PDB file of all heavy atoms in Angstrom:
ATOM      1  N   GLY A   1       0.828  -1.158  -0.016  1.00 91.00           N
ATOM      2  CA  GLY A   1       0.004   0.021  -0.015  1.00 91.00           C
ATOM      3  C   GLY A   1       0.875   1.256  -0.012  1.00 91.00           C
ATOM      4  O   GLY A   1       1.987   1.236   0.469  1.00 91.00           O
ATOM      5  N   LEU A   2       0.355   2.295  -0.576  1.00 95.00           N
ATOM      6  CA  LEU A   2       0.979   3.617  -0.579  1.00 95.00           C
ATOM      7  C   LEU A   2      -0.045   4.638  -0.256  1.00 95.00           C
ATOM      8  O   LEU A   2      -1.038   4.754  -0.973  1.00 95.00           O
ATOM      9  CB  LEU A   2       1.603   3.905  -1.949  1.00 95.00           C
ATOM     10  CG  LEU A   2       2.167   5.280  -2.139  1.00 95.00           C
ATOM     11  CD1 LEU A   2       3.332   5.530  -1.236  1.00 95.00           C
ATOM     12  CD2 LEU A   2       2.563   5.483  -3.602  1.00 95.00           C
ATOM     13  N   ASN A   3       0.162   5.353   0.852  1.00 96.00           N
ATOM     14  CA  ASN A   3      -0.784   6.344   1.272  1.00 96.00           C
ATOM     15  C   ASN A   3      -0.033   7.670   1.540  1.00 96.00           C
ATOM     16  O   ASN A   3       1.012   7.613   2.135  1.00 96.00           O
ATOM     17  CB  ASN A   3      -1.569   5.870   2.536  1.00 96.00           C
ATOM     18  CG  ASN A   3      -2.309   4.633   2.245  1.00 96.00           C
ATOM     19  OD1 ASN A   3      -1.806   3.543   2.577  1.00 96.00           O
ATOM     20  ND2 ASN A   3      -3.501   4.755   1.680  1.00 96.00           N
ATOM     21  N   ILE A   4      -0.657   8.729   1.098  1.00 96.00           N
ATOM     22  CA  ILE A   4      -0.059  10.096   1.336  1.00 96.00           C
ATOM     23  C   ILE A   4      -0.835  10.785   2.431  1.00 96.00           C
ATOM     24  O   ILE A   4      -2.037  10.801   2.432  1.00 96.00           O
ATOM     25  CB  ILE A   4      -0.142  10.916   0.015  1.00 96.00           C
ATOM     26  CG1 ILE A   4       0.476  10.182  -1.129  1.00 96.00           C
ATOM     27  CG2 ILE A   4       0.456  12.315   0.256  1.00 96.00           C
ATOM     28  CD1 ILE A   4       1.997   9.923  -1.024  1.00 96.00           C
ATOM     29  N   SER A   5      -0.088  11.317   3.374  1.00 94.00           N
ATOM     30  CA  SER A   5      -0.731  12.011   4.522  1.00 94.00           C
ATOM     31  C   SER A   5      -1.571  13.182   3.999  1.00 94.00           C
ATOM     32  O   SER A   5      -1.274  13.759   2.973  1.00 94.00           O
ATOM     33  CB  SER A   5       0.346  12.518   5.491  1.00 94.00           C
ATOM     34  OG  SER A   5       1.218  13.489   4.908  1.00 94.00           O
ATOM     35  N   PRO A   6      -2.567  13.619   4.823  1.00 92.00           N
ATOM     36  CA  PRO A   6      -3.432  14.692   4.360  1.00 92.00           C
ATOM     37  C   PRO A   6      -2.713  16.013   4.031  1.00 92.00           C
ATOM     38  O   PRO A   6      -3.160  16.745   3.133  1.00 92.00           O
ATOM     39  CB  PRO A   6      -4.422  14.893   5.523  1.00 92.00           C
ATOM     40  CG  PRO A   6      -4.413  13.565   6.189  1.00 92.00           C
ATOM     41  CD  PRO A   6      -3.013  13.012   6.042  1.00 92.00           C
ATOM     42  N   ASP A   7      -1.574  16.283   4.673  1.00 92.00           N
ATOM     43  CA  ASP A   7      -0.844  17.474   4.417  1.00 92.00           C
ATOM     44  C   ASP A   7       0.060  17.295   3.189  1.00 92.00           C
ATOM     45  O   ASP A   7       0.736  18.301   2.773  1.00 92.00           O
ATOM     46  CB  ASP A   7      -0.041  17.912   5.629  1.00 92.00           C
ATOM     47  CG  ASP A   7       1.009  16.909   6.106  1.00 92.00           C
ATOM     48  OD1 ASP A   7       1.278  15.930   5.355  1.00 92.00           O
ATOM     49  OD2 ASP A   7       1.557  17.131   7.165  1.00 92.00           O
ATOM     50  N   GLY A   8       0.130  16.150   2.595  1.00 94.00           N
ATOM     51  CA  GLY A   8       0.941  15.893   1.386  1.00 94.00           C
ATOM     52  C   GLY A   8       2.434  15.791   1.632  1.00 94.00           C
ATOM     53  O   GLY A   8       3.191  15.722   0.699  1.00 94.00           O
ATOM     54  N   LYS A   9       2.847  15.697   2.896  1.00 94.00           N
ATOM     55  CA  LYS A   9       4.256  15.777   3.221  1.00 94.00           C
ATOM     56  C   LYS A   9       4.912  14.385   3.373  1.00 94.00           C
ATOM     57  O   LYS A   9       6.140  14.213   3.199  1.00 94.00           O
ATOM     58  CB  LYS A   9       4.497  16.577   4.465  1.00 94.00           C
ATOM     59  CG  LYS A   9       4.144  18.036   4.286  1.00 94.00           C
ATOM     60  CD  LYS A   9       4.452  18.838   5.527  1.00 94.00           C
ATOM     61  CE  LYS A   9       4.128  20.293   5.312  1.00 94.00           C
ATOM     62  NZ  LYS A   9       4.418  21.085   6.526  1.00 94.00           N
ATOM     63  N   ARG A  10       4.088  13.404   3.731  1.00 95.00           N
ATOM     64  CA  ARG A  10       4.657  12.045   4.022  1.00 95.00           C
ATOM     65  C   ARG A  10       3.909  10.992   3.218  1.00 95.00           C
ATOM     66  O   ARG A  10       2.703  11.060   3.008  1.00 95.00           O
ATOM     67  CB  ARG A  10       4.555  11.717   5.509  1.00 95.00           C
ATOM     68  CG  ARG A  10       5.483  12.518   6.364  1.00 95.00           C
ATOM     69  CD  ARG A  10       5.233  12.252   7.797  1.00 95.00           C
ATOM     70  NE  ARG A  10       4.148  13.023   8.231  1.00 95.00           N
ATOM     71  CZ  ARG A  10       4.044  13.605   9.404  1.00 95.00           C
ATOM     72  NH1 ARG A  10       4.978  13.345  10.287  1.00 95.00           N
ATOM     73  NH2 ARG A  10       2.994  14.275   9.762  1.00 95.00           N
ATOM     74  N   ALA A  11       4.706  10.010   2.795  1.00 96.00           N
ATOM     75  CA  ALA A  11       4.147   8.762   2.183  1.00 96.00           C
ATOM     76  C   ALA A  11       4.341   7.651   3.117  1.00 96.00           C
ATOM     77  O   ALA A  11       5.480   7.468   3.639  1.00 96.00           O
ATOM     78  CB  ALA A  11       4.813   8.533   0.837  1.00 96.00           C
ATOM     79  N   VAL A  12       3.309   6.882   3.392  1.00 97.00           N
ATOM     80  CA  VAL A  12       3.466   5.658   4.220  1.00 97.00           C
ATOM     81  C   VAL A  12       3.321   4.464   3.282  1.00 97.00           C
ATOM     82  O   VAL A  12       2.307   4.329   2.606  1.00 97.00           O
ATOM     83  CB  VAL A  12       2.368   5.655   5.355  1.00 97.00           C
ATOM     84  CG1 VAL A  12       2.476   4.340   6.140  1.00 97.00           C
ATOM     85  CG2 VAL A  12       2.542   6.826   6.270  1.00 97.00           C
ATOM     86  N   VAL A  13       4.346   3.621   3.316  1.00 97.00           N
ATOM     87  CA  VAL A  13       4.428   2.458   2.439  1.00 97.00           C
ATOM     88  C   VAL A  13       4.302   1.228   3.305  1.00 97.00           C
ATOM     89  O   VAL A  13       5.080   1.030   4.224  1.00 97.00           O
ATOM     90  CB  VAL A  13       5.740   2.489   1.631  1.00 97.00           C
ATOM     91  CG1 VAL A  13       5.771   1.245   0.709  1.00 97.00           C
ATOM     92  CG2 VAL A  13       5.891   3.702   0.841  1.00 97.00           C
ATOM     93  N   THR A  14       3.322   0.375   2.953  1.00 95.00           N
ATOM     94  CA  THR A  14       3.136  -0.893   3.643  1.00 95.00           C
ATOM     95  C   THR A  14       3.407  -2.007   2.757  1.00 95.00           C
ATOM     96  O   THR A  14       3.453  -1.898   1.524  1.00 95.00           O
ATOM     97  CB  THR A  14       1.660  -0.995   4.180  1.00 95.00           C
ATOM     98  OG1 THR A  14       0.756  -0.994   3.070  1.00 95.00           O
ATOM     99  CG2 THR A  14       1.326   0.112   5.160  1.00 95.00           C
ATOM    100  N   GLY A  15       3.619  -3.196   3.318  1.00 91.00           N
ATOM    101  CA  GLY A  15       3.842  -4.413   2.550  1.00 91.00           C
ATOM    102  C   GLY A  15       3.240  -5.562   3.246  1.00 91.00           C
ATOM    103  O   GLY A  15       3.694  -5.904   4.386  1.00 91.00           O
ATOM    104  N   TYR A  16       2.255  -6.234   2.698  1.00 90.00           N
ATOM    105  CA  TYR A  16       1.557  -7.321   3.329  1.00 90.00           C
ATOM    106  C   TYR A  16       2.465  -8.442   3.841  1.00 90.00           C
ATOM    107  O   TYR A  16       2.238  -9.028   4.834  1.00 90.00           O
ATOM    108  CB  TYR A  16       0.467  -7.887   2.431  1.00 90.00           C
ATOM    109  CG  TYR A  16      -0.407  -8.856   3.155  1.00 90.00           C
ATOM    110  CD1 TYR A  16      -1.426  -8.433   3.983  1.00 90.00           C
ATOM    111  CD2 TYR A  16      -0.258 -10.200   2.906  1.00 90.00           C
ATOM    112  CE1 TYR A  16      -2.232  -9.287   4.624  1.00 90.00           C
ATOM    113  CE2 TYR A  16      -1.096 -11.131   3.602  1.00 90.00           C
ATOM    114  CZ  TYR A  16      -2.062 -10.654   4.452  1.00 90.00           C
ATOM    115  OH  TYR A  16      -2.865 -11.554   5.103  1.00 90.00           O
ATOM    116  N   ALA A  17       3.593  -8.639   3.113  1.00 93.00           N
ATOM    117  CA  ALA A  17       4.531  -9.761   3.485  1.00 93.00           C
ATOM    118  C   ALA A  17       5.562  -9.244   4.515  1.00 93.00           C
ATOM    119  O   ALA A  17       6.434 -10.026   4.849  1.00 93.00           O
ATOM    120  CB  ALA A  17       5.260 -10.265   2.246  1.00 93.00           C
ATOM    121  N   SER A  18       5.343  -8.107   5.009  1.00 93.00           N
ATOM    122  CA  SER A  18       6.347  -7.481   5.973  1.00 93.00           C
ATOM    123  C   SER A  18       5.643  -7.241   7.330  1.00 93.00           C
ATOM    124  O   SER A  18       4.431  -7.550   7.493  1.00 93.00           O
ATOM    125  CB  SER A  18       6.797  -6.168   5.411  1.00 93.00           C
ATOM    126  OG  SER A  18       7.608  -5.483   6.352  1.00 93.00           O
ATOM    127  N   SER A  19       6.405  -6.858   8.248  1.00 96.00           N
ATOM    128  CA  SER A  19       5.857  -6.394   9.590  1.00 96.00           C
ATOM    129  C   SER A  19       6.147  -4.902   9.800  1.00 96.00           C
ATOM    130  O   SER A  19       6.029  -4.441  10.938  1.00 96.00           O
ATOM    131  CB  SER A  19       6.486  -7.221  10.721  1.00 96.00           C
ATOM    132  OG  SER A  19       6.062  -8.502  10.606  1.00 96.00           O
ATOM    133  N   TYR A  20       6.562  -4.204   8.806  1.00 97.00           N
ATOM    134  CA  TYR A  20       7.004  -2.824   8.925  1.00 97.00           C
ATOM    135  C   TYR A  20       6.272  -1.934   8.001  1.00 97.00           C
ATOM    136  O   TYR A  20       5.768  -2.352   6.938  1.00 97.00           O
ATOM    137  CB  TYR A  20       8.505  -2.745   8.620  1.00 97.00           C
ATOM    138  CG  TYR A  20       9.442  -3.414   9.603  1.00 97.00           C
ATOM    139  CD1 TYR A  20       9.659  -4.773   9.449  1.00 97.00           C
ATOM    140  CD2 TYR A  20      10.028  -2.763  10.653  1.00 97.00           C
ATOM    141  CE1 TYR A  20      10.500  -5.422  10.360  1.00 97.00           C
ATOM    142  CE2 TYR A  20      10.775  -3.373  11.531  1.00 97.00           C
ATOM    143  CZ  TYR A  20      11.056  -4.696  11.397  1.00 97.00           C
ATOM    144  OH  TYR A  20      11.855  -5.373  12.330  1.00 97.00           O
ATOM    145  N   VAL A  21       6.246  -0.654   8.322  1.00 97.00           N
ATOM    146  CA  VAL A  21       5.833   0.378   7.425  1.00 97.00           C
ATOM    147  C   VAL A  21       7.080   1.296   7.302  1.00 97.00           C
ATOM    148  O   VAL A  21       7.891   1.395   8.192  1.00 97.00           O
ATOM    149  CB  VAL A  21       4.632   1.204   7.923  1.00 97.00           C
ATOM    150  CG1 VAL A  21       3.409   0.362   8.004  1.00 97.00           C
ATOM    151  CG2 VAL A  21       4.883   1.944   9.198  1.00 97.00           C
ATOM    152  N   ARG A  22       7.197   1.926   6.148  1.00 97.00           N
ATOM    153  CA  ARG A  22       8.191   2.880   5.916  1.00 97.00           C
ATOM    154  C   ARG A  22       7.553   4.266   5.687  1.00 97.00           C
ATOM    155  O   ARG A  22       6.542   4.339   4.950  1.00 97.00           O
ATOM    156  CB  ARG A  22       9.055   2.501   4.680  1.00 97.00           C
ATOM    157  CG  ARG A  22       9.886   1.286   4.935  1.00 97.00           C
ATOM    158  CD  ARG A  22      10.416   0.725   3.569  1.00 97.00           C
ATOM    159  NE  ARG A  22      10.597  -0.661   3.600  1.00 97.00           N
ATOM    160  CZ  ARG A  22       9.686  -1.616   3.611  1.00 97.00           C
ATOM    161  NH1 ARG A  22       8.480  -1.369   3.738  1.00 97.00           N
ATOM    162  NH2 ARG A  22      10.005  -2.921   3.579  1.00 97.00           N
ATOM    163  N   VAL A  23       8.131   5.268   6.266  1.00 97.00           N
ATOM    164  CA  VAL A  23       7.628   6.640   6.146  1.00 97.00           C
ATOM    165  C   VAL A  23       8.618   7.429   5.377  1.00 97.00           C
ATOM    166  O   VAL A  23       9.776   7.511   5.734  1.00 97.00           O
ATOM    167  CB  VAL A  23       7.281   7.287   7.462  1.00 97.00           C
ATOM    168  CG1 VAL A  23       6.698   8.670   7.336  1.00 97.00           C
ATOM    169  CG2 VAL A  23       6.418   6.384   8.331  1.00 97.00           C
ATOM    170  N   PHE A  24       8.156   8.082   4.241  1.00 97.00           N
ATOM    171  CA  PHE A  24       9.055   8.850   3.415  1.00 97.00           C
ATOM    172  C   PHE A  24       8.611  10.301   3.378  1.00 97.00           C
ATOM    173  O   PHE A  24       7.422  10.580   3.438  1.00 97.00           O
ATOM    174  CB  PHE A  24       9.029   8.299   1.972  1.00 97.00           C
ATOM    175  CG  PHE A  24       9.674   7.006   1.804  1.00 97.00           C
ATOM    176  CD1 PHE A  24       8.986   5.818   2.002  1.00 97.00           C
ATOM    177  CD2 PHE A  24      11.006   6.917   1.462  1.00 97.00           C
ATOM    178  CE1 PHE A  24       9.559   4.590   1.877  1.00 97.00           C
ATOM    179  CE2 PHE A  24      11.653   5.649   1.341  1.00 97.00           C
ATOM    180  CZ  PHE A  24      10.904   4.513   1.538  1.00 97.00           C
ATOM    181  N   ASP A  25       9.588  11.232   3.253  1.00 97.00           N
ATOM    182  CA  ASP A  25       9.342  12.617   2.988  1.00 97.00           C
ATOM    183  C   ASP A  25       9.006  12.653   1.444  1.00 97.00           C
ATOM    184  O   ASP A  25       9.829  12.257   0.633  1.00 97.00           O
ATOM    185  CB  ASP A  25      10.546  13.440   3.278  1.00 97.00           C
ATOM    186  CG  ASP A  25      10.368  14.894   2.987  1.00 97.00           C
ATOM    187  OD1 ASP A  25      10.297  15.265   1.798  1.00 97.00           O
ATOM    188  OD2 ASP A  25      10.328  15.676   3.919  1.00 97.00           O
ATOM    189  N   VAL A  26       7.846  13.166   1.098  1.00 97.00           N
ATOM    190  CA  VAL A  26       7.391  13.186  -0.289  1.00 97.00           C
ATOM    191  C   VAL A  26       8.263  14.080  -1.160  1.00 97.00           C
ATOM    192  O   VAL A  26       8.639  13.749  -2.258  1.00 97.00           O
ATOM    193  CB  VAL A  26       5.903  13.608  -0.420  1.00 97.00           C
ATOM    194  CG1 VAL A  26       5.500  13.820  -1.861  1.00 97.00           C
ATOM    195  CG2 VAL A  26       5.010  12.534   0.299  1.00 97.00           C
ATOM    196  N   GLU A  27       8.649  15.191  -0.621  1.00 97.00           N
ATOM    197  CA  GLU A  27       9.501  16.151  -1.437  1.00 97.00           C
ATOM    198  C   GLU A  27      10.930  15.648  -1.726  1.00 97.00           C
ATOM    199  O   GLU A  27      11.349  15.688  -2.850  1.00 97.00           O
ATOM    200  CB  GLU A  27       9.562  17.473  -0.681  1.00 97.00           C
ATOM    201  CG  GLU A  27      10.237  18.571  -1.510  1.00 97.00           C
ATOM    202  CD  GLU A  27      10.196  19.914  -0.811  1.00 97.00           C
ATOM    203  OE1 GLU A  27       9.117  20.287  -0.309  1.00 97.00           O
ATOM    204  OE2 GLU A  27      11.262  20.576  -0.832  1.00 97.00           O
ATOM    205  N   THR A  28      11.566  15.036  -0.713  1.00 98.00           N
ATOM    206  CA  THR A  28      12.957  14.634  -0.868  1.00 98.00           C
ATOM    207  C   THR A  28      13.080  13.112  -1.192  1.00 98.00           C
ATOM    208  O   THR A  28      14.146  12.687  -1.519  1.00 98.00           O
ATOM    209  CB  THR A  28      13.786  14.923   0.320  1.00 98.00           C
ATOM    210  OG1 THR A  28      13.253  14.109   1.449  1.00 98.00           O
ATOM    211  CG2 THR A  28      13.702  16.414   0.727  1.00 98.00           C
ATOM    212  N   LEU A  29      11.993  12.369  -0.955  1.00 96.00           N
ATOM    213  CA  LEU A  29      12.020  10.890  -1.095  1.00 96.00           C
ATOM    214  C   LEU A  29      12.920  10.199  -0.141  1.00 96.00           C
ATOM    215  O   LEU A  29      13.279   9.075  -0.260  1.00 96.00           O
ATOM    216  CB  LEU A  29      12.306  10.439  -2.553  1.00 96.00           C
ATOM    217  CG  LEU A  29      11.311  10.967  -3.608  1.00 96.00           C
ATOM    218  CD1 LEU A  29      11.711  10.492  -4.962  1.00 96.00           C
ATOM    219  CD2 LEU A  29       9.899  10.570  -3.294  1.00 96.00           C
ATOM    220  N   ARG A  30      13.311  10.940   0.917  1.00 98.00           N
ATOM    221  CA  ARG A  30      14.163  10.410   1.977  1.00 98.00           C
ATOM    222  C   ARG A  30      13.263   9.566   2.952  1.00 98.00           C
ATOM    223  O   ARG A  30      12.177  10.030   3.383  1.00 98.00           O
ATOM    224  CB  ARG A  30      14.869  11.506   2.697  1.00 98.00           C
ATOM    225  CG  ARG A  30      15.863  11.042   3.802  1.00 98.00           C
ATOM    226  CD  ARG A  30      16.600  12.240   4.410  1.00 98.00           C
ATOM    227  NE  ARG A  30      15.736  13.098   5.126  1.00 98.00           N
ATOM    228  CZ  ARG A  30      15.474  13.065   6.436  1.00 98.00           C
ATOM    229  NH1 ARG A  30      16.006  12.110   7.182  1.00 98.00           N
ATOM    230  NH2 ARG A  30      14.684  13.905   7.022  1.00 98.00           N
ATOM    231  N   MET A  31      13.800   8.404   3.360  1.00 97.00           N
ATOM    232  CA  MET A  31      13.028   7.634   4.356  1.00 97.00           C
ATOM    233  C   MET A  31      13.250   8.241   5.699  1.00 97.00           C
ATOM    234  O   MET A  31      14.379   8.505   6.191  1.00 97.00           O
ATOM    235  CB  MET A  31      13.547   6.127   4.395  1.00 97.00           C
ATOM    236  CG  MET A  31      12.658   5.265   5.281  1.00 97.00           C
ATOM    237  SD  MET A  31      12.800   3.507   5.136  1.00 97.00           S
ATOM    238  CE  MET A  31      14.528   3.263   5.450  1.00 97.00           C
ATOM    239  N   LEU A  32      12.089   8.548   6.378  1.00 97.00           N
ATOM    240  CA  LEU A  32      12.097   9.189   7.678  1.00 97.00           C
ATOM    241  C   LEU A  32      12.060   8.112   8.804  1.00 97.00           C
ATOM    242  O   LEU A  32      12.544   8.358   9.918  1.00 97.00           O
ATOM    243  CB  LEU A  32      10.925  10.135   7.813  1.00 97.00           C
ATOM    244  CG  LEU A  32      10.819  11.256   6.789  1.00 97.00           C
ATOM    245  CD1 LEU A  32       9.466  11.982   6.957  1.00 97.00           C
ATOM    246  CD2 LEU A  32      12.023  12.160   6.967  1.00 97.00           C
ATOM    247  N   ALA A  33      11.414   6.990   8.549  1.00 96.00           N
ATOM    248  CA  ALA A  33      11.242   5.982   9.611  1.00 96.00           C
ATOM    249  C   ALA A  33      10.930   4.622   8.997  1.00 96.00           C
ATOM    250  O   ALA A  33      10.385   4.496   7.911  1.00 96.00           O
ATOM    251  CB  ALA A  33      10.072   6.359  10.570  1.00 96.00           C
ATOM    252  N   HIS A  34      11.328   3.606   9.730  1.00 97.00           N
ATOM    253  CA  HIS A  34      11.064   2.185   9.391  1.00 97.00           C
ATOM    254  C   HIS A  34      10.553   1.594  10.697  1.00 97.00           C
ATOM    255  O   HIS A  34      11.299   1.395  11.635  1.00 97.00           O
ATOM    256  CB  HIS A  34      12.387   1.569   8.965  1.00 97.00           C
ATOM    257  CG  HIS A  34      12.275   0.145   8.512  1.00 97.00           C
ATOM    258  ND1 HIS A  34      12.855  -0.922   9.173  1.00 97.00           N
ATOM    259  CD2 HIS A  34      11.668  -0.350   7.392  1.00 97.00           C
ATOM    260  CE1 HIS A  34      12.554  -2.032   8.500  1.00 97.00           C
ATOM    261  NE2 HIS A  34      11.878  -1.714   7.481  1.00 97.00           N
TER     262      HIS A  34
END
């Protein structure tokens, strides 16, 4: 899954085969959290 926060600043990426989400800064595409 790929969801963009309401403010448009973060992307949350999920993966059904995983136990983690990854949070990215939409502007820089830098991963903020795992």
